[in-house]
Amino acid sequence: METKMVGALNGNITIVCNPEAAPKAEITWKKDRGNLAVGDTGRIHKLSNGNLFLSNLNYGDSGVYICVATNELGKAESYGTLEVKTQISIVRSPKTVTETMINVTAFLPCQASYDPHLDLIYIWKLNGIDIDLETDNSYKMEVSTLITGLYISRPQFKHEGIYECVAKTPLSQLTAKGQLTVIGPPGEPSGVFGQAGTVTHHSIRIFWFPGAEHGRGVDFYMIEAEIEYDKGNWETKSGSIPQLTTKVDGDTRDMRTYVVEGLKPGNGYRFRVTAVNELGYSVPSLPSDYYQTLSKEPVVAPANVRGGGGKVGDLTMVWDKLPKYDHGGSGLGYVLYWREYKEKTMDGKWEYKKFDDWETEEYVTLVGIDNFYLQYEVKVQAFNDFGRGPNSSVSLVYSAEGMPLGVPANLYCDAYNATAMVVTWEPVPDTREVMKGRVRGYQINYWYSEDEDPIYKQYIRYSGQLSEAIVIGLFDDSNFWFEVQVFNSAGLGPLSQRFIQETLHLEPQLYPQEVKVHSHGPNSVRLTWRGISTAVVEAVITGYKIYLWPANEHYRLARVIETEKFETDFVVDGIEGGKVYAVRIAGFSDGGDGKKSPTVYFTLGGHSIQIDWAVSEIRAGTSGLMYSYILLFTTVLLVMLM
């Protein structure tokens, strides 16, 4: 026999005794060394194979049980101890129905009371199928002295159902059940189809079946349509259809219906339905089959009527071809109308041209070279095999411009510096008669030559109505010829008279040296430098420019101070304490600004700062006396220059 046995209070147990005996032994039972009254039936009885069966156990059944095996050759005994313990019970069960919102974690409690000497495990099932807690991340079981149960993380509709908690020990098990309901947006509508007999040029009646409500009633439906010529583009046709208005009278299957309007004639459509409640939108239904609306004449006109440009004497007219879904039927084409615009009257015969190719988008007609840059009224109408559609709105289109007649007058050129020239002229009147259109801009032709004949002519164009422009990239100290032409979309007008002008000598090629900063006053310093001399090819120096800026700012923000011609000593005011300044000096002349001296850094009081650029840099935004940001090792020498 098993030496130790455990039974649950109020439970059952079979004590097995299986001796080896020949001939077969007769089995009798004792308890606690006393004889045990055992019959063939009752709460305690011997089975036909000799085993002892005890039902509805109580604590008095605990004790030592002895199996006695006897045959004609002898007798043998075996014994085992039975201990009766409290039976398992579930003290906290899942609610009959637990409701949670989609994506909001739910918790189902299940807690058992049991003999702590026994092992207890919990098993969870959904709709009778074991939940694999090891592989399914949606579930997590919590077992502690405070709370025991099952968490369902971010529940979806697939997690709905009957959850079964099994509390199990080696002696017994108990089960508790509860239902989880997930509320959220409605389920996907299904079975969408159209009623062929209801199809018109612009509408159709469709039917569908609603999906699951998921704890909240449907507030309204949305119907989208996809046109056959524009697949993948779902357009909302009915955006807020109250649920109550969609019921089909007399239908017991909860079928829904609605008439979709606003369709285009002569097109294939398919439809899908979306249900909406306070918690969101359902997944759109599967699309219906395609249904063809009835054909009719086009209901829209070609758009974006425009034109202009082209050769002299042309009237160019352009429009956007109708997309296929606006054809309305077969045989699409266009009728183009035009006539000269008369400001004070709407009279005038329309000329027209018919096009049978629906992809036509442009037409050019000859109106004559004398009709340059005139306004014409233009409109376009679409037609098909079922009739003509509406006309487009009337657009004003200009005929092509003619070649300009105007000539820029009073041309004059003046050197800007050694490599640039300012060219001025009297603008051409921007009138139809002079320009045969409009002034689009001016072209300046220029070339380098000692005489009037160009060696190599270059040009530059400027847009708009101008009277002045700068030509750059010239040679210093050289003669250049200039001429100007006005232009429009047809081309260039006649040449102006020519003008020759010499560029200036070069700007100073040397920079001032020995730039020094000296103490001067409470908010000023004195700058000194060694002046520069100019070569024969350079313009005579006019003076010097001092470029001054706080060292933590960009040098393009520098304050520029001009000095007299031969001055090499200058007092700078407005210097603040606690700041580092940078200064550079350059000579300038009519030829332009010369090269700048190397940067010198200083503070109020004339302290010149030498910076090792290999290991430091000036950072914008630094405050305090020093603006140097030291990267590794920086040597800053403050030297008082007296």
Side-chain angles (χ1 to χ4, degrees):
M1 292 173 54
E2 291 183 12
T3 57
K4 290 185 178 182
M5 298 168 285
V6 178
L9 184 65
N10 300 318
N12 303 327
I13 191 170
T14 299
I15 301 176
V16 177
C17 181
N18 187 24
E20 295 182 4
K24 183 178 180 181
E26 177 70 19
I27 295 176
T28 58
W29 289 92
K30 296 179 181 180
K31 179 175 183 289
D32 297 328
R33 295 298 174 178
N35 292 327
L36 184 64
V38 177
D40 295 330
T41 60
R43 192 178 71 83
I44 302 175
H45 64 272
K46 186 172 68 172
L47 301 176
S48 59
N49 60 3
N51 293 338
L52 186 65
F53 177 78
L54 294 83
S55 63
N56 195 20
L57 290 172
N58 56 55
Y59 291 119
D61 293 326
S62 298
V64 178
Y65 286 80
I66 303 168
C67 172
V68 181
T70 305
N71 66 10
E72 60 189 54
L73 300 179
K75 181 173 67 173
E77 294 181 353
S78 178
Y79 65 91
T81 302
L82 171 63
E83 183 180 6
V84 177
K85 295 188 176 183
T86 304
Q87 190 176 32
I88 186 173
S89 62
I90 293 181
V91 296
R92 190 180 180 196
S93 304
K95 294 180 180 179
T96 304
V97 177
T98 299
E99 189 177 84
T100 186
M101 292 183 61
I102 191 169
N103 292 321
V104 176
T105 298
F107 179 73
L108 302 178
C110 181
Q111 192 164 11
S113 174
Y114 65 100
D115 190 324
H117 296 93
L118 300 177
D119 291 330
L120 173 71
I121 62 171
Y122 291 96
I123 300 172
W124 284 90
K125 299 182 180 183
L126 174 57
N127 297 326
I129 300 174
D130 288 354
I131 297 174
D132 189 346
L133 299 174
E134 295 294 329
T135 60
D136 194 335
N137 294 329
S138 300
Y139 299 100
K140 179 184 178 182
M141 188 164 63
E142 179 75 16
V143 178
S144 69
T145 57
L146 298 177
I147 187 170
T148 301
L150 182 68
Y151 284 102
I152 301 96
S153 176
R154 298 181 61 84
Q156 305 298 308
F157 299 127
K158 67 179 181 179
H159 295 116
E160 288 186 320
I162 303 298
Y163 282 81
E164 183 178 353
C165 169
V166 180
K168 188 175 183 180
T169 70
L171 301 180
S172 61
Q173 68 179 41
L174 287 179
T175 299
K177 295 182 180 180
Q179 180 176 346
L180 177 67
T181 300
V182 179
I183 63 174
E188 172 187 353
S190 61
V192 182
F193 69 95
Q195 189 174 22
T198 65
V199 177
T200 69
H201 305 103
H202 63 277
S203 67
I204 183 176
R205 179 176 288 278
I206 69 167
F207 296 84
W208 69 93
F209 292 93
E213 291 191 348
H214 291 150
R216 295 291 186 272
V218 173
D219 293 330
F220 60 88
Y221 292 98
M222 294 173 50
I223 299 177
E224 297 174 291
E226 177 200 66
I227 202 164
E228 193 171 10
Y229 292 121
D230 193 14
K231 291 183 178 180
N233 182 23
W234 288 92
E235 180 182 356
T236 300
K237 290 298 182 182
S238 302
S240 183
I241 309 167
Q243 179 180 220
L244 293 177
T245 66
T246 63
K247 290 187 175 181
V248 178
D249 293 338
D251 185 85
T252 60
R253 299 169 297 171
D254 201 23
M255 181 183 286
R256 305 290 170 151
T257 186
Y258 191 77
V259 176
V260 181
E261 299 188 348
L263 307 180
K264 297 176 182 291
N267 284 286
Y269 283 93
R270 62 176 182 168
F271 305 90
R272 68 184 186 187
V273 181
T274 301
V276 185
N277 67 13
E278 62 186 88
L279 299 178
Y281 295 75
S282 74
V283 174
S285 69
L286 292 176
S288 68
D289 293 333
Y290 280 101
Y291 297 90
Q292 188 80 15
T293 54
L294 302 181
S295 296
K296 64 178 297 186
E297 68 276 3
V299 296
V300 297
N304 198 19
V305 179
R306 59 202 186 278
K311 297 184 296 184
V312 179
D314 286 348
L315 173 62
T316 301
M317 294 164 284
V318 182
W319 62 94
D320 290 346
K321 65 184 180 183
L322 283 182
K324 285 188 175 182
Y325 50 75
D326 280 329
H327 286 195
S330 58
L332 187 85
Y334 308 102
V335 181
L336 173 67
Y337 301 89
W338 70 92
R339 67 182 180 187
E340 186 178 342
Y341 172 67
K342 303 295 184 182
E343 185 175 357
K344 296 183 179 180
T345 177
M346 297 299 292
D347 296 337
K349 182 180 179 182
W350 289 93
E351 297 185 65
Y352 70 92
K353 174 72 174 178
K354 186 176 180 181
F355 306 93
D356 293 326
D357 183 1
W358 73 273
E359 295 193 275
T360 302
E361 292 185 290
E362 180 178 352
Y363 179 68
V364 179
T365 186
L366 183 64
V367 294
I369 58 175
D370 294 332
N371 291 325
F372 55 85
Y373 205 62
L374 288 177
Q375 282 187 315
Y376 286 81
E377 294 180 284
V378 180
K379 62 183 179 181
V380 185
Q381 179 187 47
F383 66 87
N384 61 19
D385 293 339
F386 300 87
R388 293 194 176 192
N391 289 319
S392 69
S393 57
V394 174
S395 297
L396 294 179
V397 176
Y398 280 93
S399 58
E401 295 181 320
M403 299 293 287
L405 301 176
V407 181
N410 297 325
L411 180 66
Y412 180 77
C413 303
D414 191 16
Y416 183 78
N417 57 31
T419 60
M421 190 74 66
V422 178
V423 182
T424 59
W425 62 88
E426 185 178 317
V428 174
D430 193 4
T431 64
R432 176 179 178 272
E433 292 74 19
V434 174
M435 285 301 302
K436 291 192 174 183
R438 292 185 57 192
V439 172
R440 308 292 178 179
Y442 292 87
Q443 176 174 299
I444 301 174
N445 306 310
Y446 60 97
W447 63 93
Y448 167 73
S449 179
E450 294 297 333
D451 52 39
E452 199 169 348
D453 295 327
I455 298 175
Y456 178 73
K457 184 182 289 189
Q458 294 178 286
Y459 71 88
I460 185 171
R461 284 190 173 186
Y462 295 90
S463 298
Q465 178 66 301
L466 307 173
S467 61
E468 178 181 291
I470 295 180
V471 179
I472 63 174
L474 307 178
F475 308 137
D476 63 279
D477 194 22
S478 302
N479 287 319
F480 279 86
W481 289 90
F482 297 87
E483 59 190 16
V484 181
Q485 297 171 272
V486 71
F487 66 85
N488 61 18
S489 62
L492 291 164
L495 292 166
S496 69
Q497 79 274 18
R498 295 175 175 177
F499 194 98
I500 188 172
Q501 183 60 278
E502 183 181 14
T503 55
L504 298 174
H505 286 64
L506 286 174
E507 71 280 2
Q509 299 298 295
L510 299 176
Y511 57 81
Q513 297 187 15
E514 298 182 20
V515 177
K516 297 182 179 180
V517 186
H518 308 268
S519 176
H520 182 267
N523 63 349
S524 62
V525 295
R526 184 167 61 90
L527 300 177
T528 60
W529 62 91
R530 183 159 60 86
I532 60 176
S533 59
T534 55
V536 176
V537 295
E538 299 173 38
V540 176
I541 189 169
T542 305
Y544 294 93
K545 288 185 179 181
I546 300 171
Y547 299 86
L548 177 70
W549 71 97
N552 66 317
E553 296 181 3
H554 200 282
Y555 75 92
R556 293 188 184 278
L557 302 176
R559 168 186 169 194
V560 181
I561 305 169
E562 292 187 8
T563 71
E564 298 296 333
K565 181 174 182 179
F566 297 112
E567 192 169 12
T568 59
D569 187 313
F570 193 83
V571 174
V572 180
D573 295 319
I575 304 300
E576 299 179 16
K579 280 189 177 181
V580 175
Y581 288 88
V583 65
R584 300 180 74 179
I585 302 176
F588 71 94
S589 66
D590 291 341
D593 295 344
K595 296 180 180 179
K596 299 180 181 65
S597 65
T599 304
V600 173
Y601 296 92
F602 68 92
T603 60
L604 181 63
H607 295 84
S608 179
I609 301 174
Q610 300 178 7
I611 298 176
D612 184 354
W613 290 105
V615 292
S616 64
E617 58 177 304
I618 299 297
R619 288 291 179 93
T622 308
S623 61
L625 179 62
M626 297 304 299
Y627 283 74
S628 296
Y629 174 65
I630 310 302
L631 296 179
L632 293 175
F633 300 100
T634 305
T635 302
V636 180
L637 302 178
L638 299 180
V639 180
M640 177 67 75
L641 302 179
M642 303 302 294

